């Protein structure tokens, strides 16, 4: 019981750090001469999609994976005009499914093609891949679609998140799912 409480506390601590870093990203004033570049950055979206074994579990009568696909498709549909997307799937490793794509239909077809590979979760690997994509483009938005499998968040460190050049981070709203999966809901901007 105490090890479960410790895991829950560590996961809460990691989430809190991520939220604080996102808040700091918003707090930075933008130099006026960079408005055009910032608009291009705002239009770049990285979708980090969890396809681990835990996403096969039924929640609310439907597989979490189906719910996650809907969330990711919603992120694509609600992105600003001219947006470009990179889709990264993560389980025990990260895989870039497609990069820097403007065709929303193509991105949605990538999302619809994602299946669980029956593996564990390593969100740190996915965040590292997303970080690399965002650093190459000097920023953008990160949409994280996951059920927050507690064991998959272990490698996330403040150093991994510290210099993410993000304009916004999207996190799932908690649902009725119980630990160790802390839930997927709808994508909400911080």
């Amino acid at each position: 019981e105490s090890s479960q409480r410790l895991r829950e506390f560590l996961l809460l601590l990691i989430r809190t750090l991520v939220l604080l870093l996102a808040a700091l990203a918003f707090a930075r004033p933008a130099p006026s001469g960079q408005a055009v570049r910032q608009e291009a950055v705002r239009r770049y979206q990285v979708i980090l999609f969890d396809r681990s074994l835990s996403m096969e579990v039924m929640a609310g009568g439907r597989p979490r994976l189906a719910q996650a696909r809907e969330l990711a498709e919603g992120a694509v549909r609600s992105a600003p005009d001219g947006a470009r997307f990179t889709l990264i799937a993560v389980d025990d490793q990260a895989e870039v499914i497609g990069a820097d794509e403007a065709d929303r239909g193509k991105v949605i077809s990538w999302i619809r093609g994602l299946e669980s590979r029956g593996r564990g979760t390593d969100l740190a690997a996915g965040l590292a891949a997303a970080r690399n994509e965002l650093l190459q483009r000097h920023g953008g938005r990160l949409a994280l679609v996951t059920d927050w499998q507690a064991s998959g968040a272990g490698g996330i460190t403040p150093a991994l998140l510290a210099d993410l050049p993000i304009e916004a981070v999207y996190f799932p709203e908690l649902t009725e799912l119980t630990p160790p999966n802390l839930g997927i809901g709808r994508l909400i901007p911080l």
Side-chain angles (χ1 to χ4, degrees):
E1 185 177 311
S2 65
S3 66
Q4 183 177 353
R5 284 186 183 178
L6 178 61
R7 276 189 301 203
E8 289 176 13
F9 173 76
L10 290 174
L11 187 56
L12 177 63
L13 180 63
I14 290 168
R15 285 180 166 172
T16 303
L17 287 171
V18 170
L19 290 171
L20 288 173
L21 291 170
L24 288 173
F26 280 116
R28 284 188 238 150
S32 59
Q34 296 184 348
V36 172
R37 185 175 82 65
Q38 285 183 338
E39 180 62 19
V41 164
R42 186 179 74 81
R43 292 179 181 201
Y44 182 66
Q45 314 270 324
V46 173
I47 300 170
L48 180 55
F49 190 97
D50 181 351
R51 66 172 175 194
S52 65
L53 178 63
S54 66
M55 298 297 282
E56 293 179 16
V57 172
M58 299 294 282
R62 299 176 47 219
R64 288 185 183 135
L65 195 66
Q67 296 173 34
R69 280 191 204 106
E70 290 174 7
L71 294 172
E73 288 179 29
V76 171
R77 287 189 185 98
S78 66
D81 291 340
R84 301 187 70 80
F85 303 90
T86 292
L87 176 63
I88 301 171
V90 65
D91 42 38
D92 62 347
Q93 58 188 358
E95 177 185 2
V96 176
I97 303 298
D100 202 20
E101 179 60 54
D103 182 342
R104 291 173 196 249
K106 189 173 191 177
V107 176
I108 288 173
S109 73
W110 292 340
I111 292 167
R112 290 180 179 166
L114 291 172
E115 296 290 336
S116 171
R117 297 193 309 178
R119 298 180 178 176
T121 312
D122 184 356
L123 288 176
L127 285 168
R131 178 180 177 273
N132 289 340
E133 291 293 325
L134 290 165
L135 286 171
Q136 286 177 16
R137 287 158 185 82
H138 308 291
R141 291 181 185 224
L142 172 63
L144 176 59
V145 183
T146 181
D147 65 351
W148 280 107
Q149 175 72 22
S151 63
I156 301 174
T157 64
L160 175 64
L161 303 172
D163 60 348
L164 270 176
I166 54 177
E167 178 184 305
V169 177
Y170 289 80
F171 287 98
E173 171 180 75
L174 297 181
T175 65
E176 72 282 352
L177 303 175
T178 57
N181 295 307
L182 300 179
I184 57 174
R186 61 186 172 84
L187 292 177
I188 53 174
L190 293 176

